[in-house]
Amino acid sequence: MSFASARFRKGQKVLCYEPDPSKQPVIYHSEIKDIKFQDISKLLDKETCDYLTKDTDTVIQPTYLIHFPGWGPRYDRWVTEDLILDLSDESLKKKKELDEKALVNQQKQTRKRKTVNKNSEVPTAKPLLKISLPAALKQSLERDFVNVTLRNLLIKIPRVPSTHDILNKFIESSVAKGSGYDQVRRKARK
């Protein structure tokens, strides 16, 4: 059994790398809340594990419960010693460098998102049914579309004219033209 001693103590203020490897590599100010010694051989790749264990089959290493000030206890994480730095000038300099890189990266991501949004087109659906609408109705529907979807404005209800009134006027105008409403009904049934 390979056994290591703890470099840091409970309650010590330290710097800690972001423990989540999928996130931007940054260093946070943190505090050690607890220390556990546990077998980490299952967490290591085979080559590293073979090197550390040589004659044994386990590697007992300290793991630290890290608290990030300003964050609740649910964000506390257990990390190994390799993610922790002491509060030295060199470590603070490294933190500053990573913070600057993260800020530049974040600005690039924001620019990319803005570019994608400007260049993206709204997919249009093919009309299933071609209906000729009166100009006033078409303008009203377009105005409502812009207000609701693009400007996030909600329409006050009850609305005048109501949907019922609009549809009745459409039916009357279709019947007056002679063919619109019957064609709509036939195609809708199919």
Side-chain angles (χ1 to χ4, degrees), residues 70-81:
W71 292 87
R74 72 179 185 165
Y75 295 101
D76 293 356
R77 297 287 183 260
W78 285 99
V79 299
T80 54
E81 224 166 53

Side-chain angles (χ1 to χ4, degrees), residues 40 69 95 127 148 151-152:
I40 63 162
K95 177 187 177 355
V148 172
R151 295 184 184 159
N152 293 326

Side-chain angles (χ1 to χ4, degrees), residues 16-32:
C16 182
Y17 282 95
E18 167 61 57
D20 187 348
S22 68
K23 293 186 179 175
Q24 177 78 31
V26 290
I27 299 174
Y28 297 109
H29 285 277
S30 53
E31 181 182 350
I32 297 174

